[in-house]
Amino acid sequence: MKGAAVQQDPKIAPADKAVETPQDRAERFAALDTHPLARDPDVTLITPRAPMSPMTHGGRAKCLQRLVRLDMPVPRTVALSFAEVHRIAAGKMPDMKRLLEPFGEAPLLCVRPSSEGADWGGPGAILNIGLNDARYAELSARIGTEAACGLYRRFIQSYAVDVARLDPDEFEEIEETGEAGLQAMLRAFEDEMEEPFPQDPAVQLAGVLRSMARAWEGTTARILREAKGAPVDAGLGLVVQELALGLGQGECGSGVIQLVNSHSGHPQITGRYLRQSQGRDALQQGAEAIFLEDDPRGPSLQELAPEAFDELIAHTQLMRKRLRAEMQAEFTLVNGRVHILDGVRVARSGRAAVRIAVSLAEDGIIPHEEALLRIEPRALNELLHRQVDPDAPRDCIAKGIAASPGAATGILVFSAAEAQAAAARNEPCILVRRETSPEDIRGMHAAVGVLTERGGMTSHAAVIGRGMGLPCVVGVSDLRFQTRQNTLTAADGRVFREGDVLTIDGTNGEVLAGAPDLMEASLDEAFQTLMSWADDMCDIGIRANADTPADAQTARNFAAQGIGLCRTEHMFFEADRLTVMREMIFADEPQDRRAAIDRLLPMQRADFAELFRIMQGQPVCIRLFDPPLHEFLPHDRAGHRELAEALDLPLSDVTRRVEALSEYNPMLGMRGVRLGITVPEIYDMQARAIFEATVEASRDGAAVVPEIMIPLVSAKREVELVKTRIDAVAAAVRVETGRNFTYRLGVMVETPRAALRAGEIAQHSAFLSFGTNDLTQMTYGLSRDDAGRFMSKYVNLGVYPEDPFHTLDTDGVGELLTIGAERGRAARPDLTVSICGEHGGSPESIAFCRAAGFDYVSCSPFRVPVARLAAAQLAVADKIGWIAGSNRPYAAVPAQYYS
Ligand code: PEP
Ligand code: MG
């Protein structure tokens, strides 16, 4: 401390004890409106009428102005606009004398960032600007040498590191304390910079502003904020605020307060207060901070300074009401007097966000529509599935594709049989496979989660996992899967064996060692209320893809408006049916095939009757058999032997048959309608089962109108052939039962040709439903089961903006959707048009389909609430005229709707 006379014996100066009422403050702030800086659009003194907006000065600055308008005790603040900060980054400084004028002779200041989006980050706050040798001496006399010394050291350190860009170690490693430490710091600064620590507040402030402005424009900061949704040209504002010093005589300190619990959203006075401190020191680990409200665990601000406590509660309540948001206030007490330094949106989990939005709307603070807009639809996943507790430590060993949300902990098992054995022992297990196939279904039912080495968003494990609400991580290429040894090896060399405990987080794609705490799903009343408001607004149908009664029940529980896709083949993988199915596949003679199919008929009829019963008169769209037959056959020698035994056939017959059915490219081979035409008995049986179940279900309740969907169509003639046979089956069932019924026959548009020829195909179809999984696969010529291997590289390199199996490619695949819908409707105006691929549940696809006039989207049952909310948001946004025609609703909704 060059030349400064340090007061060793602090003489505490009496602090200002005058009480300022809100009325006094209102007058004081209003008087400031005449200040020249209150009219400056770039270097703007924050007063009630100063020209400011979040788009010019950032959210923090605007929030401070709102607090000023509410006559809250906000220290004097000057906000620098985005334009001004941009000029500063380019080296053009504002008139520092003019900027500092509102702060008086010897200012003591802090600077904080103020970007437009609250989550876009920015440089950290810098406190205690203006501290120099003279001010240090004066402060030592007023608040004591030790406290003054701490403040000065803190400032020197942040100035040295953040502004002068010196090595932090140089300062952190200084061991001397107190005055000696301070001197050592000043020396270290001078040695490194070859000039003394700046003493002029204007020079200090200029340095701070320049460094913060430049930090924002740096490449790393830009990439980070763009990842959080900030536009390329996002601006930074800065707020320069007079320091309300939480150190000194009387009750001094700092803290934060909020009125809700950040995890649950329930009302709870939350926060901490630390005496003789500043900034957010109270939140630092190890700080001896105290509770705010009276608490049996220790002292509280309420008992220490009850008036200040009451005042803080009143301010925070007023913020909630008038800023229309749950806010966290940062405050300082100076000799018992409250100062509000900042207000930020309360950090919140997904479930807290729902409760907060609903309670604001129920209290009449925001309309229902705005509550809907405040929830990012995907955040609902947190309520719908178990999650890893956000506070739990995470030992992440690998990352893959987050294919089905939710978290699950269990022992590792490497086969479906082991999964079933573990389930029988009541031991939760994670099924680990290179990739899953239909044979794994029972294992998946037995497991609490699935982890695969290969696959993408539409691979078998992903689709089934989402359908079942089973957490699933696929495409985990940074784990070595040694399935013969039943081990997984992490990149850091750790080996996980069968029986070891792992947790998978299907919400973010992480694989975690051990068993971190999990939080249960909670479909509480706030969620139900929000959903009912969503349904009031929703103007596109939301159906569910449901294959089993359990799926259908989930769909109903989530208020789906019917089933948009029932994949019937999954029904044949049940143990009792698989054998019959195999008999059918192996039948040489038509009558043998007929016999096997006759045994499948009652099972299918029961399946459909159950679905109709659960859906209670809502539409159920049943897709006819789709996969190639060889999927039902065993793939290894042992399986062949077992099958030979079961069917009483020579092993060589089985092997020959399996080989005969194998295809080079099964996804493009004998599947879907091609199989339906070449082995028509299967579709005949399914149609009969559907119609007989229709008659049965209609007997007990409202008439059922089934929808029958033909998969993988590429030519009109295919539809004609299938339709003729199905009509004949319907006629036969009508005669046999003596009951009349109607049904709707439609086509699943999954091939580019079907989309292009939709006009002629629609002549025979009551509906077209786009199967965007296969349509994406065929449009790109990209295997949906193998794309996971290189997709992340492709996305990282910007070859594709997103994984097209995850986010609908609105340009290419989308064009086919539009062409198909337009041509289909031109040929048949009453055509129902929908989407039932995995994209159906994503908010972006819903925006696209809604804009293209689709009648409904269909998605996995667990995504139905997400889809309902996303669709409702689009309707609200249209109603209030913000984003007509846009398929990116969230980017276009003004920030205050998320604030
Ligand atoms: C599709 O292809 O989009 C579809 C829904 O069918 P699947 O996923 O069963 O092939
Ligand atoms: Mg398909």
Side-chain angles (χ1 to χ4, degrees):
M1 169 123 337
K2 298 208 153 171
V6 177
Q7 275 281 29
Q8 292 300 343
D9 177 24
K11 213 158 81 306
I12 308 290
D16 170 18
K17 280 190 116 179
V19 176
E20 194 184 35
T21 65
Q23 182 60 31
D24 298 338
R25 282 195 292 272
E27 282 164 18
R28 181 162 63 80
F29 290 142
L32 279 178
D33 264 327
T34 56
H35 192 285
L37 286 188
R39 290 189 297 274
D40 188 316
D42 288 316
V43 179
T44 317
L45 179 65
I46 298 188
T47 64
R49 288 171 42 215
M52 299 175 59
S53 86
M55 274 76 80
T56 56
H57 290 73
R60 172 169 272 132
K62 184 65 199 173
C63 178
L64 285 169
Q65 185 180 43
R66 290 184 178 138
L67 302 186
V68 164
R69 285 179 182 162
L70 295 175
D71 304 327
M72 290 199 187
V74 178
R76 189 162 297 185
T77 311
V78 170
L80 303 184
S81 70
F82 296 167
E84 189 64 37
V85 175
H86 191 60
R87 282 192 285 275
I88 292 173
K92 190 170 177 319
M93 296 307 294
D95 178 345
M96 295 304 294
K97 196 159 166 258
R98 188 163 169 269
L99 196 168
L100 280 167
E101 189 275 328
F103 300 109
E105 274 305 293
L108 213 45
L109 306 168
C110 78
V111 179
R112 293 195 184 85
S114 175
S115 56
E116 192 182 333
D119 305 325
W120 297 350
I126 296 188
L127 309 180
N128 304 331
I129 303 157
L131 254 173
N132 52 20
D133 296 351
R135 195 70 207 266
Y136 167 64
E138 181 264 316
L139 271 181
S140 293
R142 189 147 64 85
I143 66 171
T145 307
E146 199 186 323
C149 193
L151 295 176
Y152 199 8
R153 284 184 63 154
R154 183 178 193 154
F155 176 51
I156 296 166
Q157 180 153 353
S158 44
Y159 192 92
V161 175
D162 297 323
V163 179
R165 310 272 161 194
L166 300 182
D167 182 356
D169 292 350
E170 288 280 339
F171 296 85
E172 272 158 24
E173 284 167 11
I174 291 174
E175 279 171 6
E176 296 102 313
T177 53
E179 172 67 20
L182 175 63
Q183 293 302 335
M185 272 198 170
L186 286 166
R187 262 197 315 278
F189 185 92
E190 185 161 354
D191 289 349
E192 288 293 323
M193 297 298 292
E194 296 179 353
E195 62 185 21
F197 188 73
Q199 296 293 305
D200 181 349
V203 172
Q204 295 174 351
L205 180 61
V208 167
L209 296 179
R210 197 180 303 114
S211 79
M212 288 172 94
R214 289 189 174 159
W216 179 257
E217 309 237 328
T219 313
T220 319
R222 196 165 54 237
I223 291 170
L224 281 177
R225 66 176 172 267
E226 278 176 35
K228 291 179 186 158
V232 188
D233 57 352
L236 176 74
L238 291 171
V239 295
V240 182
Q241 192 176 64
E242 184 175 21
L243 211 64
L245 205 52
L247 294 96
Q249 191 193 35
E251 188 50 53
C252 289
S254 63
V256 296
I257 179 170
Q258 65 185 51
L259 303 179
V260 291
N261 178 303
S262 283
H263 289 322
S264 69
H266 282 292
Q268 181 186 330
I269 296 168
T270 312
R272 286 287 182 276
Y273 170 72
L274 183 62
R275 306 180 82 174
Q276 301 297 328
S277 75
Q278 61 173 179
R280 295 173 81 86
D281 289 353
L283 297 182
Q284 250 156 38
Q285 260 196 343
E288 286 176 7
I290 61 172
F291 299 103
L292 298 182
E293 200 175 15
D294 278 350
D295 194 298
R297 291 169 294 173
S300 71
L301 180 64
Q302 191 172 19
E303 64 192 34
L304 202 67
E307 281 174 20
F309 174 80
D310 289 345
E311 190 183 333
L312 282 168
I313 300 283
H315 288 320
T316 327
Q317 282 170 341
L318 186 62
M319 283 190 203
R320 176 178 190 264
K321 194 161 162 209
R322 300 291 296 278
L323 271 56
R324 309 160 74 246
E326 279 299 345
M327 300 293 287
Q328 183 189 67
E330 190 175 312
F331 65 91
T332 295
L333 297 193
V334 182
N335 197 14
R337 199 162 128 186
V338 172
H339 297 264
I340 301 288
L341 312 185
D342 200 8
V344 294
R345 262 176 92 240
V346 164
R348 64 200 70 189
S349 67
R351 67 187 76 195
V354 170
R355 183 165 291 282
I356 288 171
V358 168
S359 93
L360 286 169
E362 284 180 333
D363 291 348
I365 295 172
I366 59 174
H368 293 180
E369 286 90 342
E370 191 172 340
L372 291 170
L373 290 178
R374 290 196 179 191
I375 309 298
E376 211 284 312
R378 285 189 183 89
L380 293 183
N381 280 325
E382 250 186 61
L383 288 86
L384 299 169
H385 306 275
R386 228 179 242 173
Q387 300 293 325
V388 176
D389 188 326
D391 293 335
R394 301 172 79 97
D395 180 4
C396 179
I397 57 165
K399 210 163 166 9
I401 295 172
S404 176
T409 301
I411 58 162
L412 294 183
V413 294
F414 288 79
S415 71
E418 277 305 318
Q420 288 174 278
R425 298 191 303 270
N426 271 336
E427 246 182 310
C429 65
I430 306 282
L431 176 61
V432 181
R433 306 287 290 154
R434 283 201 191 285
E435 60 200 329
T436 61
S437 69
E439 284 168 86
D440 291 311
I441 292 262
R442 273 166 291 147
M444 292 178 76
H445 274 288
V448 294
V450 177
L451 175 65
T452 70
E453 179 184 28
R454 300 184 188 138
M457 279 308 283
T458 56
S459 62
H460 181 266
V463 172
I464 302 293
R466 280 197 295 277
M468 291 164 52
L470 185 70
C472 181
V473 178
V474 302
V476 190
S477 47
D478 49 350
L479 269 183
R480 200 140 54 86
F481 285 60
Q482 290 139 311
T483 41
R484 289 236 185 90
Q485 289 103 310
N486 288 355
T487 58
L488 292 175
T489 308
D492 63 6
R494 274 187 285 174
V495 179
F496 297 87
R497 300 192 161 73
E498 191 161 40
D500 287 351
V501 174
L502 276 193
T503 296
I504 59 167
D505 187 339
T507 307
N508 65 12
E510 285 184 2
V511 183
L512 311 169
D517 286 345
L518 301 185
M519 281 182 359
E520 289 303 319
S522 80
L523 301 182
D524 52 22
E525 73 283 11
F527 167 82
Q528 306 293 1
T529 306
L530 188 83
M531 284 292 114
S532 72
W533 296 342
D535 291 342
D536 291 344
M537 291 304 302
C538 207
D539 56 8
I540 180 170
I542 311 285
R543 293 199 198 177
N545 296 350
D547 308 337
T548 63
D551 293 347
Q553 194 55 58
T554 311
R556 255 211 101 80
N557 296 348
F558 288 144
Q561 294 155 319
I563 293 179
L565 171 64
C566 169
R567 294 173 161 105
T568 48
E569 57 273 13
H570 294 155
M571 297 166 165
F572 296 108
F573 283 104
E574 298 292 324
D576 52 338
R577 296 155 187 219
L578 193 56
T579 318
V580 189
M581 195 64 194
R582 287 170 170 173
E583 273 174 35
M584 193 268 294
I585 296 170
F586 275 82
D588 280 331
E589 301 300 325
Q591 68 271 20
D592 295 340
R593 175 171 296 152
R594 181 80 269 144
I597 281 182
D598 283 350
R599 284 171 62 203
L600 291 171
L601 174 69
M603 303 178 190
Q604 278 268 272
R605 187 173 53 225
D607 292 332
F608 298 140
E610 181 67 355
L611 287 186
F612 295 149
R613 190 190 60 73
I614 294 171
M615 296 314 290
Q616 293 176 7
Q618 289 196 329
V620 176
C621 179
I622 297 166
R623 178 178 76 182
L624 298 174
F625 194 86
D626 180 49
L629 286 179
H630 74 85
E631 279 198 9
F632 292 84
L633 299 179
H635 299 300
D636 56 10
R637 194 99 185 129
H640 292 177
R641 235 190 330 270
E642 255 178 53
L643 184 56
E645 227 168 68
L647 300 182
D648 195 19
L649 287 172
L651 178 62
S652 56
D653 276 16
V654 170
T655 316
R656 204 172 333 109
R657 187 82 176 147
V658 171
E659 274 166 12
L661 281 173
S662 80
E663 294 174 293
Y664 285 109
N665 207 339
M667 289 305 270
L668 300 179
M670 257 277 272
R671 55 170 287 219
V673 69
R674 298 162 198 168
L675 189 66
I677 285 172
T678 46
V679 188
E681 297 90 336
I682 303 178
Y683 280 10
D684 287 354
M685 178 276 289
Q686 290 197 298
R688 176 169 279 276
I690 292 169
F691 296 138
E692 289 180 357
T694 300
V695 169
E696 197 178 310
S698 304
R699 214 171 261 138
D700 312 328
V704 171
V705 179
E707 296 177 352
I708 300 180
M709 183 154 72
I710 314 172
L712 217 77
V713 165
S714 57
K716 165 183 148 188
R717 184 74 187 133
E718 290 169 325
V719 188
E720 285 169 352
L721 289 173
V722 173
K723 183 173 182 332
T724 306
R725 288 189 76 110
I726 291 181
D727 283 344
V729 175
V733 174
R734 282 190 193 109
V735 171
E736 287 160 27
T737 59
R739 305 284 296 242
N740 201 4
F741 56 84
T742 51
Y743 74 97
R744 303 177 77 219
L745 184 75
V747 162
M748 194 160 175
V749 179
E750 302 178 274
T751 66
R753 191 176 192 282
L756 296 172
R757 306 305 298 162
E760 56 190 22
I761 287 173
Q763 287 163 15
H764 304 294
S765 315
F767 60 89
L768 296 183
S769 187
F770 290 90
T772 45
N773 303 335
D774 274 309
L775 191 58
T776 301
Q777 168 165 267
M778 295 193 208
T779 305
Y780 278 81
L782 178 64
S783 160
R784 58 196 264 195
D785 297 307
D786 300 310
R789 287 197 196 178
F790 58 89
M791 190 54 76
S792 55
K793 190 143 216 175
Y794 251 50
V795 173
N796 286 342
L797 290 172
V799 182
Y800 300 155
E802 307 273 359
D803 176 349
F805 291 109
H806 191 202
T807 306
L808 182 71
D809 159 40
T810 48
D811 300 334
V813 179
E815 189 171 356
L816 284 171
L817 259 55
T818 318
I819 289 173
E822 277 170 11
R823 293 184 185 172
R825 284 209 163 122
R828 185 168 178 157
D830 65 342
L831 186 75
T832 303
V833 178
S834 63
I835 175 176
C836 63
E838 288 307 306
H839 303 92
S842 91
E844 296 78 10
S845 323
I846 295 170
F848 179 88
C849 294
R850 189 175 166 275
F854 281 34
D855 296 282
Y856 69 86
V857 301
S858 188
C859 56
S860 307
F862 282 92
R863 297 176 92 186
V864 166
V866 176
R868 283 160 66 200
L869 178 56
Q873 289 190 342
L874 292 159
V876 171
D878 265 3
K879 182 175 152 192
I880 50 188
W882 279 334
I883 56 156
S886 163
N887 62 356
R888 304 233 11 241
Y890 317 112
V893 174
Q896 76 262 25
Y897 268 60
Y898 286 105
S899 65

